[in-house]
């Protein structure tokens, strides 16, 4: 069994009616003509309905765009701690093929970096929401003031930025990256990639850092025990990411 739509007919007349010849031949001729006209009218109506409805259906199929379905990752930790940097911008969102929320990218990056550390026999980093707020403030500052550097235009270093908020780290490190969501980018090996979801973007950022010797060294340093990822996404899809590492007193 199977196949597509088929056409069929059902005759609802009873057997006696089907074989009986009632009335003179002239009446039967008129009746036959009426049935023929009605059949033509019905067929014309069906053809017209098909012509007027079909283009609408095809147009919807061709032009309707389906968003990519994505799931939020488990939260890496508290994204809104009591103690946070004064300039923490909070969550930023990009609406494209999928809705990409910065906090989801941060969670995915945190898990991905810990997976990489585990692959090298290192302990995982504890998520620190306060450090993440410092990271996020720096990412937004780079986007707004249009620079890309560990030292901001005011001369503040990563440790300086942290110490404006807290003072429980005696060693402090920082990785930064700039990338794009929903736009083609060139990868380290010369290929082209396009990150359309938070998970894809996080993988791209982790790969970007791991293919740079100084950033890779920071990720695989043994001394760190906690850290925080801060991501800021502009309306155009430009992504700034900061990952700060800490060794607590």
């Amino acid at each position: 069994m199977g196949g597509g739509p088929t056409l069929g007919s059902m005759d609802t007349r009873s057997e006696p009616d089907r074989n009986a010849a009632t009335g003179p031949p002239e009446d039967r001729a008129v009746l036959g003509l009426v049935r023929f006209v009605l059949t033509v009218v019905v067929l014309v109506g069906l053809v017209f309905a098909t012509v007027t409805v079909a283009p609408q259906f095809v147009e919807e199929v061709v032009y309707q765009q389906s968003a990519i379905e994505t799931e939020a990752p488990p939260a890496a930790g508290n994204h809104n701690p009591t103690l946070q940097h004064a300039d923490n911008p909070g969550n930023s969102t990009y609406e494209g093929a999928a809705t990409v929320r910065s906090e989801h990218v941060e969670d995915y990056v945190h898990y991905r970096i810990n997976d990489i550390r585990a692959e090298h026999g290192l302990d995982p980093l504890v998520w620190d929401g306060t450090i993440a707020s410092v990271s996020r403030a720096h990412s937004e500052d780079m986007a707004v003031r249009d620079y890309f550097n560990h030292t901001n235009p005011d001369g503040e270093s990563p440790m300086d930025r942290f110490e404006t908020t807290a003072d429980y780290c005696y060693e402090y490190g920082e990785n930064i990256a700039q990338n794009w969501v929903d736009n083609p980018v060139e990868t380290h090996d010369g290929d082209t990639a396009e990150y359309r979801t938070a998970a894809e973007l996080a993988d791209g950022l982790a790969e970007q850092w791991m293919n740079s010797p100084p950033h890779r060294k920071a990720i695989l340093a043994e001394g760190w025990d906690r850290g925080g990822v801060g991501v800021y996404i502009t309306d155009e899809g430009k992504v700034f990411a900061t990952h700060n590492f800490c060794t607590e007193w």
Side-chain angles (χ1 to χ4, degrees):
M1 298 180 63
T6 59
L7 293 177
S9 62
M10 179 180 293
D11 194 334
T12 59
R13 292 178 295 167
S14 63
E15 191 63 28
D17 288 340
R18 186 179 302 175
N19 296 324
T22 57
E26 293 82 4
D27 292 343
R28 292 199 302 273
V30 171
L31 181 60
L33 179 59
V34 170
R35 286 176 176 169
F36 175 77
V37 171
L38 288 175
T39 301
V40 171
V41 170
V42 170
L43 290 176
V44 169
L46 289 174
V47 171
F48 180 75
T50 303
V51 170
T52 56
V53 173
Q56 284 186 327
F57 176 74
V58 172
E59 185 173 314
E60 289 177 1
V61 171
V62 171
Y63 295 110
Q64 185 175 0
Q65 181 179 4
S66 298
I68 298 174
E69 297 293 334
T70 59
E71 294 184 0
N78 188 357
H79 284 261
N80 191 30
T82 302
L83 182 61
Q84 57 182 292
H85 194 282
D87 296 328
N88 177 20
N91 190 61
S92 52
T93 302
Y94 174 79
E95 299 288 349
T99 298
V100 180
R101 295 174 60 85
S102 61
E103 63 183 349
H104 295 166
V105 182
E106 294 167 0
D107 291 333
Y108 278 124
V109 169
H110 176 77
Y111 291 127
R112 184 70 188 103
I113 294 302
N114 274 345
D115 285 344
I116 292 171
R117 287 177 60 86
E119 291 168 2
H120 289 79
L122 300 171
D123 291 333
L125 301 173
V126 175
W127 172 270
D128 190 306
T130 299
I131 294 174
S133 75
V134 179
S135 302
R136 202 174 299 117
H138 184 55
S139 292
E140 186 210 28
D141 190 49
M142 287 190 291
V144 172
R145 294 205 276 179
D146 193 24
Y147 71 95
F148 185 71
N149 203 301
H150 294 286
T151 302
N152 68 21
D154 302 321
E156 290 181 331
S157 69
M159 189 62 150
D160 293 331
R161 288 190 290 273
F162 173 72
E163 289 182 338
T164 64
T165 305
D167 62 355
Y168 54 81
C169 296
Y170 74 88
E171 286 186 337
Y172 204 74
E174 180 178 86
N175 279 346
I176 57 175
Q178 193 273 305
N179 213 309
W180 289 86
V181 63
D182 225 12
N183 287 277
V185 294
E186 185 175 333
T187 61
H188 71 282
D189 53 7
D191 290 337
T192 299
E194 186 169 342
Y195 310 120
R196 298 187 295 169
T197 67
E200 291 175 356
L201 177 58
D203 285 344
L205 290 168
E207 183 179 2
Q208 193 175 349
W209 280 326
M210 286 300 290
N211 282 288
S212 167
H215 297 88
R216 177 188 176 93
K217 183 177 179 180
I219 289 172
L220 299 180
E222 294 186 15
W224 310 128
D225 51 33
R226 59 185 53 248
V229 184
V231 171
Y232 185 79
I233 311 174
T234 70
D235 292 340
E236 296 75 29
K238 194 173 186 178
V239 179
F240 290 85
T242 303
H243 191 183
N244 282 321
F245 308 89
C246 163
T247 304
E248 197 173 11
W249 286 106

